[in-house]
Amino acid sequence: MIVTPTQTGWRVIHQQAHGLLATQLALHWSEKKRPIRWVETLVALSEHDDGQDAWEGRNHLTEAGAPLDFKELEYSVEQAKNMIQIGLEKSRWNALLLSMHTTFLYEEKRGEDPALDEFLNQQKSNQTKWCKVCKATVAEARYAYYFLQWCDALSLVLCQNLVQKEERRLEVSKGPDGTSYYIFQRPNGSLGLEPWPFDEKELSVHVESFLLTQLAFNDDTELYNALNDAEVEELSWTFKQ
């Protein structure tokens, strides 16, 4: 979950919803710069945070009982395996991109856990094999993954409300072309990106969020029920060139 405090409690955005927002952004990417296997790449992007832990015990709570933000999560080899399996049941390309995502997230933790090291070694082997099966070059696979990563980063900036005020620029990340992209907000509330990566001159995207007024929960069941009963607020953003 992506959890941010409000004056009355918490705003929660499911990570799967964040993936859907990232896919909305991807759909507007300049057509001439799209990666290969476009539809499969979009599906992988929408699923790049799937396979989350079940709603049981206290999987989604801090020690104090607050909703657990994704940044506080320890890595989960099981979740990563589940996510790749979801992709693998669709296509090797989906699994390849999701496997590359796990490598990006966890390679820096190599040496901390034998199970994680074994998983990372397996992903290197998988990536080589799946790239060949898809008849793609390493450069094409990297371009597609860096595109996924850029859309992921932009979606997270929006979901975490990180856009700066007074037109101060914030770096989103480097795009698949190696260019650094910066986001800023105009006085009228519209958002800009430099350089402009989309074909349209104006576009809008949205995501669902849940507003909780209860600060702490006893277990996942209580939190899950509260989310189902919570007020749903759709957040939207308009980008203009």
Side-chain angles (χ1 to χ4, degrees):
M1 299 180 295
I2 300 169
V3 182
T4 52
T6 67
Q7 291 185 342
T8 57
W10 308 104
R11 181 187 300 280
V12 174
I13 297 174
H14 289 300
Q15 284 172 271
Q16 294 89 338
H18 139 67
L20 183 59
L21 174 60
T23 306
Q24 291 178 54
L25 292 161
L27 283 168
H28 298 283
W29 182 260
S30 178
E31 186 171 354
K32 65 183 180 181
K33 294 183 178 181
R34 289 177 178 177
I36 64 171
R37 294 179 176 258
W38 178 237
V39 173
E40 291 168 89
T41 300
L42 292 177
V43 172
L45 177 57
S46 71
E47 295 177 341
H48 79 275
D49 271 333
D50 283 5
Q52 300 294 323
D53 290 337
W55 289 88
E56 58 187 23
R58 293 174 62 88
N59 288 335
H60 295 81
L61 297 174
T62 67
E63 291 185 7
L68 183 65
D69 182 65
F70 79 101
K71 295 188 298 297
E72 300 179 53
L73 281 170
E74 292 292 330
Y75 68 85
S76 170
V77 172
E78 193 61 33
Q79 184 269 329
K81 287 181 178 178
N82 289 341
M83 179 183 68
I84 293 170
Q85 185 61 37
I86 290 170
L88 191 58
E89 291 172 358
K90 292 185 176 66
S91 78
R92 296 300 186 268
W93 183 256
N94 285 59
L96 170 62
L97 296 186
L98 296 175
S99 175
M100 293 173 75
H101 190 52
T102 62
T103 300
F104 168 73
L105 292 175
Y106 299 139
E107 185 63 41
E108 64 180 19
K109 297 182 182 294
R110 182 181 286 277
E112 297 180 8
D113 177 8
L116 179 61
D117 290 355
E118 181 182 0
F119 171 79
L120 290 171
N121 290 338
Q122 183 62 52
Q123 295 321 301
K124 283 191 174 182
S125 173
N126 286 342
Q127 288 163 24
T128 299
K129 176 175 63 178
W130 293 337
C131 200
K132 289 180 180 178
V133 169
C134 293
K135 298 180 180 179
T137 65
V138 171
E140 288 173 328
R142 285 178 177 168
Y143 185 93
Y145 174 66
Y146 292 149
F147 170 72
L148 181 153
Q149 193 181 97
W150 183 84
C151 297
D152 178 36
L154 180 53
S155 176
L156 284 175
V157 166
L158 298 177
C159 288
Q160 295 179 96
N161 194 29
L162 297 178
V163 179
Q164 303 295 297
K165 306 298 182 183
E166 299 178 355
E167 299 191 73
R168 292 194 294 271
R169 302 197 318 164
L170 172 74
E171 184 175 10
V172 176
S173 79
K174 288 186 177 180
D177 53 1
T179 301
S180 291
Y181 289 83
Y182 296 86
I183 190 171
F184 60 93
Q185 185 176 49
R186 301 184 181 90
N188 64 6
S190 68
L191 301 178
L193 278 169
E194 292 182 351
W196 186 252
F198 306 124
D199 282 334
E200 304 100 319
K201 293 184 178 180
E202 180 177 337
L203 59 107
S204 295
V205 294
H206 63 272
V207 73
E208 284 188 356
S209 69
F210 299 83
L211 299 176
L212 297 174
T213 55
Q214 185 174 334
L215 296 180
F217 303 85
N218 292 316
D219 52 35
D220 270 18
T221 298
E222 187 177 10
L223 173 58
Y224 182 81
N225 291 336
L227 286 169
N228 283 337
D229 294 335
E231 176 187 350
V232 179
E233 182 178 11
E234 186 174 89
L235 304 177
S236 61
W237 301 267
T238 297
F239 289 83
K240 293 184 178 181
Q241 188 173 15

